[in-house]
Amino acid sequence: MPESTTQQVLDVRAGLAHALGAAQSAVDAARHRHLAAVERRNRVAAAAEAQKIRLAVERDTRLRDIDHQHHDDLAALAGAAADAGRRGAPGAAGTPWASWAPTPAVGASELRVGRLLLPYEGEVPALVPLLDRGHVVVRGDAAASDEVVAGLLLRALGTTGPGTVRLTGYDPEQLGGGLAGFAGLAAAGVLTFAGPGALGALLDELVDHVRRINETVLAGEHPSLGALAAATGRRPEPWRVAVLLGGGRGDELSRKERGQLDRLLRTGAACGVHLVLRGIGVDEPPAGVEVIDAARGRAARLSGCGELPVRLDEGPPAALVTATSRRIAEQVAAGPRPVALDTLLPDQDWREHSATGLSAPLGDGPHGNPVIVTLSDYPPHALIAGPSGTGKTNLIYAWIGALAARYSPAELAFYLLDFKEGVSFARFAPGRRDPSWLPHVRLVGVNVNTDREFGLALLRFLGAELRRRADAAKRHEVTNLAELRAEDPDGHWPRIVAVVDEFQVLLAGRDALAAEAVDLLEDLARRGRSQGIHLILASQDVSGIEALWGRPALVAQFSLRIALPRARRILAETNPAADALPRFHAVVNADSGALEANRVVRVPAAGDRDQWSALQHRLWRRRPPELSAPRLFDGDVVPRLADSPDFARLAPDPAGPAPVVLLGETIDVAAHSARTVLRRAPGRNLAVLGTRVDEACAVLGTAARALAAQYPPGAARFSVACLDSDAAAAVDALRPHLPEDTGWYGPDSVGWLLDDAAEAADADATAAGRPHFLFLYAVDAAPGGVRTAELLRRILRQGPERRIHVLGWWRGAAMLRETLGGQGSRTDAIGAWVALDVHGSELAPYYPGAGAPVWYPRPWRALHFDRSVHRGAEVIIPYGAP
């Protein structure tokens, strides 16, 4: 039993020990788990704290990035706003006054009045829309308001061309003193003032101006003048800016004035009428009106800028306003620059037909529409007048260019003649630098101020053409050019336009030439209209043309009148329109100058050589292949024998007709050579009279070369005697052009020549041998006295029938008379003569009838007379050196 108790105790103890150990193990395990849990908790807490720190850092980083992005965005917006401001107000519209200068632009810009006060760096200009956009009302501080008005006006003037902005000032309080700085514009009409009490009339005038623009300029085709200018590239009307400076009491306006003001505020901007109001209240400004509220210190609010504050710029310096106004006034007084020649040209060349007339624009009218000028049965002819420097030549160029681009050379032919010194028309003919020519031009005459004969030759040519056309019209039983062209479609019947600049030179004096010219002009003016021949006569001073104004029937035919600035007597006496014309403008009047027929035209710059050259080259490349270059007559150029068509046609033909002597170029349209035929008949000798050695040698040299060209070697005998040492060089230069067997004689041997020729002249005429031509230089210097004179007389009188002809130079008409036997002798042995520096009165013995030719010597001109063909003497130009 005891053992069992002990055993039990031991078992219990063992069990307890085991339980205690197990409990201890459990406690240790629980403590271990607790420590692990605490450690895990600590790690989680540490991780949470670290995450919190990381999130805070991330948050701060993102906030900083957002702040930087916001700053960058604000800076970009500020730069964009500044750039937009500069683009919206470039140049004079927005440049600070310190560096300001006028910079006219193509379109209207907004105008700077200050800068926006924004909460970041960078200056953004505060802009006000005015021209083509709206109106401006300035309120608040008087001093700041005056500066704003002055700045707006100066910027508006500086961003537009001179004269394209017209100001009207109404300033009853200061009587114009508020605009005193702009007073310099008044002299050029850019600024006008409306006096106290004239506000109603001013508003009425502006409303009427808006109505006219809507009816006649816009005419429903464009919503505004700005849109019209953008579509066409030109502005037909200037901007009208009315500056109304009131006393601050808006209720002073009458009901009518208030109504007119409201109409202008609603409709004026579209028609280029803008109001700048200060001190005249506008209760509820309509859309398009910018309101500027100015306070002291130049703080302001602009209705177009919302709540953004604005700091106004200081006003422009007074000296800048005055100097700019003076410069603009000078530019306006000088006139606007002309537009380009291209504005006159059609889209396609040579598309028009001239059967019924010629029509082309001469330039733009006041409203921008082309002014069409027509030459037809009515009006048939034109007079152009304008003092020197007013653009007469440029107007002629413009007219010629506009016609030439529309009508082909088959439809239109030009004959151009300029009597003043210069080469205005030479560009239409081929030259050394430019071989092109205007394909329509058939004749160009320049530097003909001393060659009135060439003008008469042109009129004679046109008269012959008129007769040719009239005869064709009779054959086809028609009455005018349009009918003739319909009946004879294969004929060549272009309309002819003859332009004669400074035509009064042709009609100057009371001589036979002027009388014949007037008669021809009257016939051409009266009958040319129906046959398509039109005259354009231009002059600097029409009032001095007695020969023209003395023929009222002639003047009446020139119903188309074109007056340039300050032209006199070209329009009707009651029509003073030309007195107020600016430069580059003209009055076109198709009713003989009647006031109601006036049309004002702005003429393009057609004289620019580059622009004209481009047009001429384009037309020249299209010319028909059979078309030849025009005849160019330059009165200052000595012609060359080698260029003579008549000389080129000469060929050796000993069995042909009587030889022809060429002497010089005739002053005519066709550039013929003056000639004398040396037939076997009494008097077929030639005398050259005068003391000018070079010209006398030129005439004889031309005659010798022409005769030599008509004979093969040995078929004719040539003898040359030089009796004046001054002529020796010219005689030596002639040697290569004459046959090798030519006889050359001097003072010591000329007697042998005369003896031989006189003996042959005495021989039987039926036994005449080959032709013998004696060229005697300075015949009066031949030695031998009476015997030599007798030999010469026998040769002159009897030689031509025996084919012996004398071509001699006498150094004076009296010396020739001595050779022929003195005062009582007959002169018919000289059948042809060329007079150089010999006055007409000295030529009476050699001229038919009781009178003498009218001849006043001119350099390198000669008077030619051949009694076998001429009724009167003709002026010729000796050919110069080869």
Side-chain angles (χ1 to χ4, degrees):
M1 193 66 195
E3 286 183 353
S4 6
T5 305
T6 301
Q7 186 63 38
Q8 291 179 346
V9 169
L10 289 174
D11 292 338
V12 168
R13 287 182 176 175
L16 289 173
H18 178 77
L20 180 61
Q24 186 62 41
S25 296
V27 170
D28 291 341
R31 184 177 293 111
H32 181 73
R33 287 193 299 273
H34 171 72
L35 291 175
V38 169
E39 184 179 357
R40 284 196 302 272
R41 184 199 66 184
N42 290 339
R43 286 199 304 270
V44 170
E49 185 64 24
Q51 184 68 19
K52 181 179 179 180
I53 293 173
R54 285 196 299 272
L55 290 174
V57 172
E58 184 69 20
R59 178 201 63 198
D60 293 342
T61 301
R62 295 299 302 274
L63 287 176
R64 284 195 302 271
D65 291 344
I66 291 172
D67 287 341
H68 291 157
Q69 185 64 44
H70 179 65
H71 182 273
D72 292 344
D73 290 345
L74 289 179
L77 290 173
D83 289 341
R86 285 190 290 271
R87 289 193 301 270
T95 302
W97 299 122
S99 56
W100 188 89
T103 56
V106 176
S109 306
E110 293 187 84
L111 308 176
R112 172 178 172 140
V113 294
R115 60 186 177 89
L116 297 176
L117 300 178
L118 300 178
Y120 47 81
E121 295 182 359
E123 179 174 290
V124 177
L127 306 182
V128 171
L130 181 62
L131 301 181
D132 281 339
R133 290 174 172 85
H135 315 277
V136 177
V137 175
V138 185
R139 304 186 299 208
D141 182 68
S145 297
D146 286 343
E147 291 183 351
V148 169
V149 171
L152 282 174
L153 296 182
L154 188 59
R155 291 191 184 279
L157 291 168
T159 56
T160 55
T164 56
V165 170
R166 302 288 171 141
L167 303 179
T168 302
Y170 172 71
D171 187 11
E173 295 296 317
Q174 300 186 53
L175 300 178
L179 299 174
F182 298 92
L185 298 170
V190 179
L191 171 64
T192 57
F193 287 98
L199 178 60
L202 171 60
L203 295 175
D204 290 344
E205 191 271 330
L206 293 175
V207 169
D208 187 66
H209 180 76
V210 170
R211 178 193 57 77
R212 182 183 65 81
I213 295 296
N214 278 320
E215 291 179 358
T216 63
V217 180
L218 300 178
E221 297 183 8
H222 300 278
S224 67
L225 285 180
L228 186 153
T232 63
R234 56 181 181 268
R235 188 175 186 88
E237 292 280 343
W239 287 280
R240 296 285 302 275
V241 178
V243 186
L244 309 183
L245 307 178
R249 297 184 296 276
D251 56 356
E252 291 181 351
L253 297 181
S254 67
R255 182 176 180 180
K256 178 185 176 183
E257 292 170 346
R258 176 65 61 184
Q260 297 289 65
L261 182 64
D262 291 341
R263 293 185 183 94
L264 291 173
L265 291 174
R266 290 195 312 273
T267 65
C271 298
V273 175
H274 305 278
L275 304 179
V276 176
L277 308 178
R278 192 216 66 191
I280 295 180
V282 179
D283 297 333
E284 296 183 2
V289 177
E290 182 78 23
V291 179
I292 303 175
D293 287 301
R296 291 189 178 184
R298 299 199 299 280
R301 297 279 181 175
L302 273 63
S303 60
C305 296
E307 296 301 320
L308 292 176
V310 173
R311 182 170 181 79
L312 297 173
D313 292 333
E314 293 183 356
L320 181 63
V321 175
T322 302
T324 303
S325 299
R326 185 184 305 113
R327 185 164 56 251
I328 291 175
E330 292 172 353
Q331 293 172 335
V332 172
R337 297 300 304 170
V339 295
L341 174 63
D342 293 347
T343 60
L344 296 184
L345 306 183
D347 295 333
Q348 292 183 313
D349 297 329
W350 296 356
R351 304 286 290 182
E352 304 294 330
H353 299 282
S354 64
T356 58
L358 298 166
S359 295
L362 196 54
D364 291 344
H367 302 149
N369 300 319
V371 175
I372 305 298
V373 180
T374 298
L375 289 173
S376 61
D377 285 354
Y378 190 88
H381 313 292
L383 279 177
I384 302 173
S388 177
T390 56
K392 174 166 54 66
T393 301
N394 178 73
L395 184 144
I396 294 173
Y397 284 164
W399 201 354
I400 290 175
L403 288 171
R406 283 167 173 76
Y407 300 93
S408 71
E411 300 285 335
L412 170 63
F414 284 115
Y415 292 81
L416 310 175
L417 188 59
D418 188 357
F419 272 100
K420 66 177 181 293
E421 293 186 26
V423 290
S424 298
F425 292 153
R427 64 172 57 184
F428 303 121
R432 291 190 303 271
R433 292 185 301 175
D434 185 357
S436 73
W437 69 86
L438 192 65
H440 309 70
V441 175
R442 303 292 184 266
L443 171 72
V444 175
V446 296
N447 289 317
V448 293
N449 52 306
T450 59
D451 290 308
R452 296 166 61 216
E453 297 85 1
F454 191 77
L456 183 61
L458 172 60
L459 296 182
R460 288 171 175 169
F461 171 84
L462 294 175
E465 177 64 18
L466 176 61
R467 290 189 295 274
R468 186 179 77 89
R469 295 186 174 207
D471 291 342
K474 291 177 182 178
R475 290 195 304 271
H476 291 278
E477 298 181 347
V478 296
T479 59
N480 57 45
L481 184 68
E483 296 174 354
L484 176 60
R485 291 177 60 167
E487 292 293 325
D488 184 19
D490 297 328
H492 183 61
W493 308 110
R495 285 193 179 264
I496 291 175
V497 176
V499 183
V500 184
D501 197 6
E502 300 304 332
F503 71 98
Q504 74 279 0
V505 175
L506 175 61
L507 308 181
R510 299 181 179 275
D511 55 11
L513 190 152
E516 183 181 356
V518 171
D519 290 338
L520 287 169
L521 268 177
E522 187 166 0
D523 185 53
L524 286 167
R526 180 172 49 85
R527 298 196 297 138
R529 67 168 70 213
S530 61
Q531 303 302 335
I533 298 177
H534 307 281
L535 303 174
I536 299 176
L537 306 184
S539 174
Q540 292 184 13
D541 185 9
V542 179
S543 63
I545 308 169
E546 298 179 2
L548 183 61
W549 290 111
R551 300 279 188 112
L554 172 58
V555 177
Q557 301 297 329
F558 291 82
S559 53
L560 178 59
R561 311 287 177 84
I562 301 177
L564 293 155
R566 302 184 305 281
R568 308 294 298 177
R569 290 194 66 186
I570 187 71
L571 303 175
E573 293 183 1
T574 57
N575 188 350
D579 295 340
L581 280 178
R583 290 181 64 195
F584 309 113
H585 285 67
V587 175
V588 177
N589 190 301
D591 192 15
S592 300
L595 180 63
E596 59 275 8
N598 285 347
R599 291 182 294 164
V600 176
V601 58
R602 181 175 61 158
V603 183
D608 182 86
R609 182 168 290 277
D610 292 337
Q611 292 185 7
W612 183 267
S613 179
L615 171 63
Q616 180 163 300
H617 275 260
R618 186 175 78 237
L619 300 180
W620 180 65
R621 287 190 292 268
R622 293 191 59 189
R623 72 191 187 280
E626 70 277 5
L627 193 64
S628 59
R631 151 89 155 121
L632 173 62
F633 176 85
D634 187 342
D636 286 348
V637 173
V638 177
R640 298 170 63 249
L641 179 62
D643 297 331
S644 167
D646 291 332
F647 180 70
R649 285 191 288 266
L650 296 179
D653 185 9
V660 175
V661 176
L662 303 186
L663 303 170
E665 185 175 275
T666 59
I667 300 181
D668 63 7
V669 171
H672 290 304
S673 295
R675 61 178 56 203
T676 285
V677 180
L678 298 183
R679 294 183 297 273
R680 294 183 62 179
R684 291 293 81 198
N685 301 298
L686 173 72
V688 180
L689 308 174
T691 61
R692 292 200 286 252
V693 178
D694 52 348
E695 296 177 25
C697 291
V699 173
L700 287 183
T702 296
R705 292 180 59 189
L707 288 171
Q710 299 172 60
Y711 291 95
R717 179 183 175 189
F718 289 82
S719 300
V720 180
C722 180
L723 308 177
D724 186 340
S725 59
D726 291 340
V731 171
D732 287 341
L734 188 59
R735 290 177 180 267
H737 302 284
L738 296 185
E740 293 182 358
D741 61 349
T742 299
W744 303 91
Y745 302 88
D748 56 345
S749 59
V750 69
W752 303 339
L753 170 64
L754 298 180
D755 284 337
D756 180 55
E759 182 178 350
D762 290 336
D764 185 1
T766 59
R770 61 176 178 162
H772 185 187
F773 304 108
L774 284 73
F775 294 91
L776 308 181
Y777 288 74
V779 181
D780 52 277
V786 176
R787 182 175 183 279
T788 297
E790 176 60 29
L791 292 174
L792 281 170
R793 283 193 291 272
R794 288 164 54 192
I795 298 170
L796 290 170
R797 290 172 182 161
Q798 300 166 203
E801 294 184 81
R802 292 155 180 82
R803 304 180 73 181
I804 302 171
H805 305 276
V806 173
L807 298 93
W809 163 39
W810 282 263
R811 294 174 297 185
M815 295 177 180
L816 172 60
R817 193 64 182 273
E818 290 297 323
T819 298
L820 296 176
Q823 291 296 324
S825 62
R826 297 175 58 181
T827 61
D828 54 356
I830 300 297
W833 48 261
V834 175
L836 302 172
D837 54 341
V838 178
H839 283 274
S841 58
E842 301 177 62
L843 300 171
Y846 315 102
Y847 203 64
V854 178
W855 171 242
Y856 302 97
R858 309 198 298 266
W860 213 262
R861 296 295 185 271
L863 195 66
H864 171 226
F865 178 75
D866 187 333
R867 67 174 67 248
S868 67
V869 294
H870 288 160
R871 295 179 57 189
E874 64 175 352
V875 179
I876 66 172
I877 307 175
Y879 289 113

